[in-house]
Amino acid sequence: MSLVIGIPRALHYYTFIPLWERFFYELGMKVVESGPTNKHIVDLGVKTTVTDACAPIKIFQGHAEALARKADVVFIPRVVSFEGGYVFCPKFLGLPDMVKATVDNLPPVIDTRFDLRRGFAALVRALVRLGTELGSGKAKAFAAAVRAIRHFRQSGWTAHLRREHGVGAVGSIVEHGVAASRSSECGVGVSSRSVAQGVAIRRSDEHGVGATWSSVEHGIIRRGVHGTEQDGEKLPVTIAVIGYPYIVHDPFLSCGMLDILEKARVRVVTMEDVSTRDIEAQRGALSKQVFWHYSNRALKAAYHLMKHTEIDGLVHATAFGCGPDAIVDKFLEIDCKDEYGVPFLSLTVDEHSGQAGIATRLEAFLDMILRKKGLSAFQRLGGPGRTDSGLHAGADSRLQNGAANGLQDDLKVPVVQGRQVS
Amino acid sequence: MKITFPYMGYYAPVFTNLFRKLGNEVVAPPRPSKRTLDLGTKHAPEFACLPLKILLGTYIEALEMGADTIVSTGGVGPCRAGYYTRLQEKILRSLGYDFRMFTIEPIKGHLMDIVRTIRSFVNVPVTKLYDALTTTWLKLAYIDQFERVCHHRRPVEINRGSSTRLLEEGVAAIDKAQNCKEIREVGRAYVDMLGKVEIDETKNPLKVGIIGEIYVVLEPAVNFEVIENLNKMGVYAHRSIFLTDWTRENAFLDALRIQPEKQIRAQARPYLNQPVGGHGENSVGETVRYAKSGYDGVIQLAPFTCIPEIVAKSILPKVSRDLGIPVLTLTLDEQTGLEGVMTRLEAFVDLLMRRRLRAGEASA
Ligand code: SF4
Ligand code: SF4
């Protein structure tokens, strides 16, 4: 019987799953992951966490607990740093300790430390340590580590750290490569070999738009839509949704933000669409580098998008009570307004947020952008017959009446002048 | 150049003095008030921690009073404090204030960087600089010493208020003292007097440890004078953080690679095996230490959304269960009111009292 490793589908999962999964696969172990976030998982998490913890942490603990009895060990790495100079949010650093102190009846927790501040070799060392801890030989662990890292570099890491532009994907998030995957009563399943081995899966969503999930991304992180889409016509509005992957790409936590926008025929870009090179090129925009891994990337990706691409608006998706985001959000708010003249909307989500509320605020934001661009609702929706594409009924009537009142209240910053896309 | 800086409890006058000695005009920061907090809350992000809001409010007030230079400390993460000044600067500039901001970054091993930053607001020869720094250091050390003694006497003093009065007199006297010799004389005299405050020897007060984030632990104006209030209930409160050992451990000894905090780290390790910034690790380690040295309880002061303290707070219930020490967490934000804090303190003290009585009966 091979060892079954449980991996909670939250936080660093969204970035590092290709690495972890490939590594365990190479060692001949089985990976079980908690399914996509759902109400049950959230309830579990809320029970074991302090009230002022941020929603992603609550959700993580829910995922961890959902793995009890499903796995022989639970893998909760202590991810300290993956790039010299940047560390993860302190809650990531204390994550295994928090889980161990609060979630009872968990199988043994494996909390390997990944701290690459002193160089890349630490990654190999950490993986070898992890492998031997799980009972495999040093040589085998080393070989697995090398292979997993190569896979991660080509795929996951490329996707996350050095992603190239140009590949588009639209549609609902598939779990882990859809068909190849699983689903069981509790939403926990075993990920497939085909995924680990790198089988790309192509699919179309209900609008008939081609979508690609490379094995790499396991369908977890959606790439933005680039270029022309939908019957060869250009989507009229582009919005950058900036936020940590475990918020933006968790449809439950983000209240389906990306879906709402895409159904409204908006071209969406996220921070994962900006390459590491482009991100680091923005160093000069800050007098001191933000030292948290994801916050640094989010902020600089936003600067890149505002400076070098044409976006009509920027949405910051942030979790209630998030510490680092208090800083990121204020920087974005001020810079969008004073520096770049890009309409800005800050959307705070937590475990109780409702989709309706988020949709309403996005709509109002869209309306404002459209008015500024002089576009009508019809143009946005692609002509008659498309009016059912995911917007609230109320939105259109409001748009046709041209009722702008109350809009400013919805927006965090009343934007005076926005950039026009030619 | 008119300098201002963060307000911090009894230390504020000492820093005012320091900057004056260095040849600057100083706008002494006002003690945080309701207005300070309101200003800070209005302009800071909603989820910024309380210290950031208070400091932002303080800076606005000081800038209104004519300050044009702000001096503060930075950090290298992983906690937010390291990015405070940049955020505050950004906000203040967007509000239209014109000023200079100096951040003293405690970068390990780069003493020269600190020196360089400090040089920009030092307008006196090096000999005087040395003098200014040593007197400041001594003053801070004595103020800490006064407070330590006062915390011991106040819960059991016979004449209510006598230790507080002496403490305040002492701080004022230290502030006036000009050179090291005078400071030592005044300092010793007051430590002595405080040590002789009449107390009721028969009392064996409850002992409580105070842990948490440095700013809210050190600043009585934002922690609702928690120590004084506990003392008034006849409870001895041990503050785990003092500025003189804090500065030494972090800025100076760190540069020399000496780690006196190692012990606390070791105590924390079974529960939290990783520094998480701020005082998160200390909070856990110190709770263990208090439990092992026979304290009756621990009070954690945590600003709302404070990351390291949330980590600690998640772990403390387990420490509390394992070692049998009650822990009360007071989460502080702009909505916290004195009444609520007092009610919780009283309930906690009640609980500790009952525990002690029960333990006494059991052993009798
Ligand atoms: S970065 Fe924010 S959302 Fe993420 S774990 Fe830290 S506090 Fe929570
Ligand atoms: S320790 Fe807490 S209160 Fe202090 S700066 Fe960090 S997050 Fe804010």
Side-chain angles (χ1 to χ4, degrees), chain B residues 11-34:
Chain B
Y11 305 124
V14 181
F15 287 113
T16 307
N17 233 314
L18 171 67
F19 287 113
R20 288 225 171 94
K21 274 203 171 171
L22 297 179
N24 301 290
E25 265 186 80
V26 179
V27 174
R31 185 176 203 261
S33 62
K34 176 91 180 34

PDB file of all heavy atoms in Angstrom, chain B residues 11-34:
ATOM      1  N   TYR B  11       8.676  57.650  27.171  1.00  0.00           N
ATOM      2  CA  TYR B  11       9.933  57.874  26.462  1.00  0.00           C
ATOM      3  C   TYR B  11       9.929  59.163  25.636  1.00  0.00           C
ATOM      4  O   TYR B  11      10.978  59.672  25.288  1.00  0.00           O
ATOM      5  CB  TYR B  11      10.243  56.724  25.518  1.00  0.00           C
ATOM      6  CG  TYR B  11      10.263  55.359  26.160  1.00  0.00           C
ATOM      7  CD1 TYR B  11       9.456  54.341  25.687  1.00  0.00           C
ATOM      8  CD2 TYR B  11      11.120  55.086  27.223  1.00  0.00           C
ATOM      9  CE1 TYR B  11       9.485  53.082  26.252  1.00  0.00           C
ATOM     10  CE2 TYR B  11      11.144  53.819  27.796  1.00  0.00           C
ATOM     11  CZ  TYR B  11      10.323  52.823  27.307  1.00  0.00           C
ATOM     12  OH  TYR B  11      10.354  51.579  27.863  1.00  0.00           O
ATOM     13  N   ALA B  12       8.736  59.648  25.320  1.00  0.00           N
ATOM     14  CA  ALA B  12       8.642  60.760  24.371  1.00  0.00           C
ATOM     15  C   ALA B  12       9.532  61.953  24.718  1.00  0.00           C
ATOM     16  O   ALA B  12      10.274  62.442  23.860  1.00  0.00           O
ATOM     17  CB  ALA B  12       7.191  61.184  24.206  1.00  0.00           C
ATOM     18  N   PRO B  13       9.513  62.431  25.978  1.00  0.00           N
ATOM     19  CA  PRO B  13      10.350  63.591  26.279  1.00  0.00           C
ATOM     20  C   PRO B  13      11.838  63.310  26.068  1.00  0.00           C
ATOM     21  O   PRO B  13      12.599  64.210  25.684  1.00  0.00           O
ATOM     22  CB  PRO B  13      10.064  63.889  27.757  1.00  0.00           C
ATOM     23  CG  PRO B  13       9.112  62.879  28.241  1.00  0.00           C
ATOM     24  CD  PRO B  13       8.674  62.028  27.115  1.00  0.00           C
ATOM     25  N   VAL B  14      12.247  62.080  26.300  1.00  0.00           N
ATOM     26  CA  VAL B  14      13.670  61.749  26.132  1.00  0.00           C
ATOM     27  C   VAL B  14      14.078  61.932  24.676  1.00  0.00           C
ATOM     28  O   VAL B  14      15.147  62.479  24.378  1.00  0.00           O
ATOM     29  CB  VAL B  14      13.945  60.301  26.582  1.00  0.00           C
ATOM     30  CG1 VAL B  14      15.410  59.965  26.425  1.00  0.00           C
ATOM     31  CG2 VAL B  14      13.481  60.103  28.013  1.00  0.00           C
ATOM     32  N   PHE B  15      13.211  61.498  23.781  1.00  0.00           N
ATOM     33  CA  PHE B  15      13.562  61.646  22.369  1.00  0.00           C
ATOM     34  C   PHE B  15      13.514  63.111  21.927  1.00  0.00           C
ATOM     35  O   PHE B  15      14.341  63.548  21.132  1.00  0.00           O
ATOM     36  CB  PHE B  15      12.641  60.777  21.501  1.00  0.00           C
ATOM     37  CG  PHE B  15      12.960  59.319  21.604  1.00  0.00           C
ATOM     38  CD1 PHE B  15      12.069  58.432  22.199  1.00  0.00           C
ATOM     39  CD2 PHE B  15      14.170  58.825  21.142  1.00  0.00           C
ATOM     40  CE1 PHE B  15      12.376  57.086  22.317  1.00  0.00           C
ATOM     41  CE2 PHE B  15      14.492  57.486  21.254  1.00  0.00           C
ATOM     42  CZ  PHE B  15      13.580  56.606  21.851  1.00  0.00           C
ATOM     43  N   THR B  16      12.561  63.837  22.467  1.00  0.00           N
ATOM     44  CA  THR B  16      12.514  65.275  22.177  1.00  0.00           C
ATOM     45  C   THR B  16      13.872  65.882  22.514  1.00  0.00           C
ATOM     46  O   THR B  16      14.467  66.614  21.722  1.00  0.00           O
ATOM     47  CB  THR B  16      11.432  65.958  23.036  1.00  0.00           C
ATOM     48  OG1 THR B  16      10.210  65.250  22.842  1.00  0.00           O
ATOM     49  CG2 THR B  16      11.260  67.411  22.659  1.00  0.00           C
ATOM     50  N   ASN B  17      14.336  65.530  23.699  1.00  0.00           N
ATOM     51  CA  ASN B  17      15.613  66.030  24.165  1.00  0.00           C
ATOM     52  C   ASN B  17      16.769  65.627  23.268  1.00  0.00           C
ATOM     53  O   ASN B  17      17.650  66.424  22.955  1.00  0.00           O
ATOM     54  CB  ASN B  17      15.855  65.454  25.560  1.00  0.00           C
ATOM     55  CG  ASN B  17      16.160  66.549  26.528  1.00  0.00           C
ATOM     56  OD1 ASN B  17      16.968  67.408  26.198  1.00  0.00           O
ATOM     57  ND2 ASN B  17      15.513  66.539  27.667  1.00  0.00           N
ATOM     58  N   LEU B  18      16.742  64.381  22.850  1.00  0.00           N
ATOM     59  CA  LEU B  18      17.808  63.869  21.994  1.00  0.00           C
ATOM     60  C   LEU B  18      17.909  64.684  20.710  1.00  0.00           C
ATOM     61  O   LEU B  18      18.988  65.161  20.350  1.00  0.00           O
ATOM     62  CB  LEU B  18      17.548  62.397  21.659  1.00  0.00           C
ATOM     63  CG  LEU B  18      18.467  61.784  20.593  1.00  0.00           C
ATOM     64  CD1 LEU B  18      19.909  61.698  21.089  1.00  0.00           C
ATOM     65  CD2 LEU B  18      17.988  60.406  20.181  1.00  0.00           C
ATOM     66  N   PHE B  19      16.775  64.861  20.048  1.00  0.00           N
ATOM     67  CA  PHE B  19      16.833  65.589  18.778  1.00  0.00           C
ATOM     68  C   PHE B  19      17.253  67.040  18.980  1.00  0.00           C
ATOM     69  O   PHE B  19      17.924  67.619  18.142  1.00  0.00           O
ATOM     70  CB  PHE B  19      15.491  65.486  18.041  1.00  0.00           C
ATOM     71  CG  PHE B  19      15.247  64.130  17.457  1.00  0.00           C
ATOM     72  CD1 PHE B  19      14.233  63.305  17.923  1.00  0.00           C
ATOM     73  CD2 PHE B  19      16.056  63.661  16.433  1.00  0.00           C
ATOM     74  CE1 PHE B  19      14.028  62.049  17.385  1.00  0.00           C
ATOM     75  CE2 PHE B  19      15.863  62.396  15.890  1.00  0.00           C
ATOM     76  CZ  PHE B  19      14.843  61.592  16.375  1.00  0.00           C
ATOM     77  N   ARG B  20      16.867  67.616  20.114  1.00  0.00           N
ATOM     78  CA  ARG B  20      17.312  68.983  20.398  1.00  0.00           C
ATOM     79  C   ARG B  20      18.813  68.991  20.537  1.00  0.00           C
ATOM     80  O   ARG B  20      19.508  69.829  19.978  1.00  0.00           O
ATOM     81  CB  ARG B  20      16.703  69.479  21.715  1.00  0.00           C
ATOM     82  CG  ARG B  20      15.236  69.755  21.592  1.00  0.00           C
ATOM     83  CD  ARG B  20      14.838  71.076  22.235  1.00  0.00           C
ATOM     84  NE  ARG B  20      13.451  71.339  21.874  1.00  0.00           N
ATOM     85  CZ  ARG B  20      12.407  70.986  22.648  1.00  0.00           C
ATOM     86  NH1 ARG B  20      12.607  70.467  23.848  1.00  0.00           N
ATOM     87  NH2 ARG B  20      11.188  71.202  22.223  1.00  0.00           N
ATOM     88  N   LYS B  21      19.324  68.030  21.296  1.00  0.00           N
ATOM     89  CA  LYS B  21      20.764  67.971  21.531  1.00  0.00           C
ATOM     90  C   LYS B  21      21.535  67.800  20.241  1.00  0.00           C
ATOM     91  O   LYS B  21      22.695  68.174  20.136  1.00  0.00           O
ATOM     92  CB  LYS B  21      21.099  66.806  22.463  1.00  0.00           C
ATOM     93  CG  LYS B  21      20.978  67.166  23.925  1.00  0.00           C
ATOM     94  CD  LYS B  21      21.814  66.228  24.753  1.00  0.00           C
ATOM     95  CE  LYS B  21      21.881  66.725  26.189  1.00  0.00           C
ATOM     96  NZ  LYS B  21      22.510  65.747  27.064  1.00  0.00           N
ATOM     97  N   LEU B  22      20.899  67.175  19.275  1.00  0.00           N
ATOM     98  CA  LEU B  22      21.575  66.961  18.000  1.00  0.00           C
ATOM     99  C   LEU B  22      21.478  68.200  17.116  1.00  0.00           C
ATOM    100  O   LEU B  22      21.857  68.164  15.948  1.00  0.00           O
ATOM    101  CB  LEU B  22      20.968  65.754  17.282  1.00  0.00           C
ATOM    102  CG  LEU B  22      21.130  64.418  18.003  1.00  0.00           C
ATOM    103  CD1 LEU B  22      20.487  63.293  17.221  1.00  0.00           C
ATOM    104  CD2 LEU B  22      22.600  64.110  18.252  1.00  0.00           C
ATOM    105  N   GLY B  23      20.961  69.267  17.684  1.00  0.00           N
ATOM    106  CA  GLY B  23      20.947  70.526  16.956  1.00  0.00           C
ATOM    107  C   GLY B  23      19.754  70.705  16.041  1.00  0.00           C
ATOM    108  O   GLY B  23      19.853  71.348  15.000  1.00  0.00           O
ATOM    109  N   ASN B  24      18.611  70.137  16.410  1.00  0.00           N
ATOM    110  CA  ASN B  24      17.423  70.305  15.578  1.00  0.00           C
ATOM    111  C   ASN B  24      16.332  71.024  16.344  1.00  0.00           C
ATOM    112  O   ASN B  24      16.289  70.995  17.562  1.00  0.00           O
ATOM    113  CB  ASN B  24      16.857  68.947  15.178  1.00  0.00           C
ATOM    114  CG  ASN B  24      17.847  68.122  14.422  1.00  0.00           C
ATOM    115  OD1 ASN B  24      18.196  68.417  13.284  1.00  0.00           O
ATOM    116  ND2 ASN B  24      18.349  67.086  15.075  1.00  0.00           N
ATOM    117  N   GLU B  25      15.440  71.636  15.590  1.00  0.00           N
ATOM    118  CA  GLU B  25      14.204  72.086  16.206  1.00  0.00           C
ATOM    119  C   GLU B  25      13.285  70.882  16.270  1.00  0.00           C
ATOM    120  O   GLU B  25      13.274  70.057  15.358  1.00  0.00           O
ATOM    121  CB  GLU B  25      13.554  73.153  15.331  1.00  0.00           C
ATOM    122  CG  GLU B  25      13.894  74.570  15.743  1.00  0.00           C
ATOM    123  CD  GLU B  25      13.091  75.542  14.919  1.00  0.00           C
ATOM    124  OE1 GLU B  25      11.910  75.750  15.251  1.00  0.00           O
ATOM    125  OE2 GLU B  25      13.644  76.055  13.937  1.00  0.00           O
ATOM    126  N   VAL B  26      12.522  70.789  17.339  1.00  0.00           N
ATOM    127  CA  VAL B  26      11.674  69.623  17.514  1.00  0.00           C
ATOM    128  C   VAL B  26      10.228  70.038  17.720  1.00  0.00           C
ATOM    129  O   VAL B  26       9.949  70.983  18.442  1.00  0.00           O
ATOM    130  CB  VAL B  26      12.142  68.797  18.736  1.00  0.00           C
ATOM    131  CG1 VAL B  26      11.233  67.591  18.926  1.00  0.00           C
ATOM    132  CG2 VAL B  26      13.579  68.357  18.573  1.00  0.00           C
ATOM    133  N   VAL B  27       9.330  69.323  17.060  1.00  0.00           N
ATOM    134  CA  VAL B  27       7.923  69.470  17.387  1.00  0.00           C
ATOM    135  C   VAL B  27       7.550  68.214  18.167  1.00  0.00           C
ATOM    136  O   VAL B  27       7.441  67.134  17.585  1.00  0.00           O
ATOM    137  CB  VAL B  27       7.053  69.589  16.126  1.00  0.00           C
ATOM    138  CG1 VAL B  27       5.578  69.605  16.498  1.00  0.00           C
ATOM    139  CG2 VAL B  27       7.418  70.836  15.350  1.00  0.00           C
ATOM    140  N   ALA B  28       7.439  68.350  19.472  1.00  0.00           N
ATOM    141  CA  ALA B  28       7.168  67.173  20.297  1.00  0.00           C
ATOM    142  C   ALA B  28       5.824  66.584  19.899  1.00  0.00           C
ATOM    143  O   ALA B  28       4.823  67.288  19.847  1.00  0.00           O
ATOM    144  CB  ALA B  28       7.169  67.554  21.768  1.00  0.00           C
ATOM    145  N   PRO B  29       5.783  65.278  19.599  1.00  0.00           N
ATOM    146  CA  PRO B  29       4.506  64.677  19.196  1.00  0.00           C
ATOM    147  C   PRO B  29       3.536  64.702  20.369  1.00  0.00           C
ATOM    148  O   PRO B  29       3.932  64.453  21.500  1.00  0.00           O
ATOM    149  CB  PRO B  29       4.890  63.249  18.829  1.00  0.00           C
ATOM    150  CG  PRO B  29       6.146  62.977  19.570  1.00  0.00           C
ATOM    151  CD  PRO B  29       6.865  64.284  19.678  1.00  0.00           C
ATOM    152  N   PRO B  30       2.273  65.020  20.116  1.00  0.00           N
ATOM    153  CA  PRO B  30       1.299  65.040  21.203  1.00  0.00           C
ATOM    154  C   PRO B  30       0.928  63.630  21.644  1.00  0.00           C
ATOM    155  O   PRO B  30       1.016  62.693  20.854  1.00  0.00           O
ATOM    156  CB  PRO B  30       0.087  65.735  20.572  1.00  0.00           C
ATOM    157  CG  PRO B  30       0.202  65.446  19.119  1.00  0.00           C
ATOM    158  CD  PRO B  30       1.665  65.346  18.807  1.00  0.00           C
ATOM    159  N   ARG B  31       0.519  63.500  22.906  1.00  0.00           N
ATOM    160  CA  ARG B  31       0.070  62.192  23.387  1.00  0.00           C
ATOM    161  C   ARG B  31      -1.160  61.776  22.578  1.00  0.00           C
ATOM    162  O   ARG B  31      -2.048  62.590  22.336  1.00  0.00           O
ATOM    163  CB  ARG B  31      -0.304  62.306  24.872  1.00  0.00           C
ATOM    164  CG  ARG B  31      -0.667  60.982  25.528  1.00  0.00           C
ATOM    165  CD  ARG B  31      -0.921  61.203  27.020  1.00  0.00           C
ATOM    166  NE  ARG B  31      -0.749  59.971  27.777  1.00  0.00           N
ATOM    167  CZ  ARG B  31      -1.769  59.182  28.161  1.00  0.00           C
ATOM    168  NH1 ARG B  31      -3.000  59.523  27.873  1.00  0.00           N
ATOM    169  NH2 ARG B  31      -1.537  58.080  28.844  1.00  0.00           N
ATOM    170  N   PRO B  32      -1.217  60.506  22.129  1.00  0.00           N
ATOM    171  CA  PRO B  32      -2.358  60.084  21.310  1.00  0.00           C
ATOM    172  C   PRO B  32      -3.684  60.350  22.010  1.00  0.00           C
ATOM    173  O   PRO B  32      -3.867  59.995  23.167  1.00  0.00           O
ATOM    174  CB  PRO B  32      -2.135  58.583  21.145  1.00  0.00           C
ATOM    175  CG  PRO B  32      -0.683  58.387  21.342  1.00  0.00           C
ATOM    176  CD  PRO B  32      -0.244  59.426  22.320  1.00  0.00           C
ATOM    177  N   SER B  33      -4.589  60.997  21.298  1.00  0.00           N
ATOM    178  CA  SER B  33      -5.902  61.305  21.859  1.00  0.00           C
ATOM    179  C   SER B  33      -6.959  60.731  20.943  1.00  0.00           C
ATOM    180  O   SER B  33      -6.644  60.099  19.935  1.00  0.00           O
ATOM    181  CB  SER B  33      -6.071  62.816  21.928  1.00  0.00           C
ATOM    182  OG  SER B  33      -6.024  63.337  20.614  1.00  0.00           O
ATOM    183  N   LYS B  34      -8.193  60.996  21.279  1.00  0.00           N
ATOM    184  CA  LYS B  34      -9.290  60.562  20.424  1.00  0.00           C
ATOM    185  C   LYS B  34      -9.111  61.146  19.019  1.00  0.00           C
ATOM    186  O   LYS B  34      -9.320  60.471  18.018  1.00  0.00           O
ATOM    187  CB  LYS B  34     -10.601  61.064  21.059  1.00  0.00           C
ATOM    188  CG  LYS B  34     -11.848  60.801  20.276  1.00  0.00           C
ATOM    189  CD  LYS B  34     -12.456  59.469  20.669  1.00  0.00           C
ATOM    190  CE  LYS B  34     -13.727  59.121  19.917  1.00  0.00           C
ATOM    191  NZ  LYS B  34     -13.858  59.551  18.550  1.00  0.00           N
TER     192      LYS B  34
END
